[in-house]
Amino acid sequence: MVRKAPNAAGQNLIDFIHAARGETFPFRQFFDLLRDAVDHSVGFLASSLPRGGLQIVQPPRLPELLIRAYGREFHAQDRASWGAIVQGRPVARDEREGGSDSSGKFYSEMLAPLGVAFTAAAPMRSPVMDGYAGALVLMRPESAGPFSEEELEFLGEIAGELDVALRGSRMQRGEAACGQSVPHQSEIHQFIF
């Protein structure tokens, strides 16, 4: 349960997540409210899926450069998202510090053209499919400064609340489709090397 929102917009977001019911989650409104609660220029939900790697799954309307480059190559170099998933806690990064290795390429070829310098990601247990982890990711320009500890903590709490809401939506869809849910033998279906 979220303790205290950092501002009124944050409380509106929490209330919205708790009120969201039904077979589909209203992502457009969620991302609009998230933008009001935590300053960022790009936000998305990434999920690992059976194919491996990360894939942007929401929202559907993002810069074409981000969707194509991330899906093709840069999902593997997204240190904030992978760090959040592996460590099980929110992670923030100054992406300009990548150097000349692959993480430097992530900044110079994908983030810099988008005008983004700072990233933050909070882990999600199963945003799309049970057993496949993901992350709620925010990015913002250098002029906005790095993400604060308070923002990271709030992002982590929101990601947890969103996980619960999405699981509820999946359960409603599944029960409506087949009348009952099918239990999985294992909660984890992937390995990160």
Side-chain angles (χ1 to χ4, degrees), residues 98-105:
S100 60
D101 64 356
S102 62
S103 63
K105 188 177 174 184

Side-chain angles (χ1 to χ4, degrees), residues 22-43:
E23 293 180 18
T24 59
F25 187 83
F27 280 105
R28 177 174 285 173
Q29 294 95 328
F30 170 79
F31 280 104
D32 288 345
L33 290 169
L34 181 58
R35 187 175 313 280
D36 294 338
V38 180
D39 182 29
H40 66 281
S41 56
V42 176

Side-chain angles (χ1 to χ4, degrees), residues 74-135:
F74 292 113
H75 65 93
Q77 299 165 12
D78 182 354
R79 289 186 177 178
S81 295
W82 285 115
I85 292 168
V86 170
Q87 296 171 35
R89 64 176 179 79
V91 172
R93 289 187 44 85
D94 179 345
E95 297 293 351
R96 300 168 300 169
E97 297 174 352
S100 60
D101 64 356
S102 62
S103 63
K105 188 177 174 184
F106 178 67
Y107 172 72
S108 65
E109 292 185 21
M110 191 179 90
L111 299 182
L114 293 171
V116 173
F118 299 102
T119 58
M124 294 186 67
R125 190 176 175 107
S126 52
V128 175
M129 294 174 62
D130 288 339
Y132 293 93

Side-chain angles (χ1 to χ4, degrees), residues 5-15 33-38 154:
N7 54 39
Q11 188 59 51
N12 289 342
L13 178 59
I14 293 166
D15 295 343
L33 290 169
L34 181 58
R35 187 175 313 280
D36 294 338
V38 180
F154 181 69

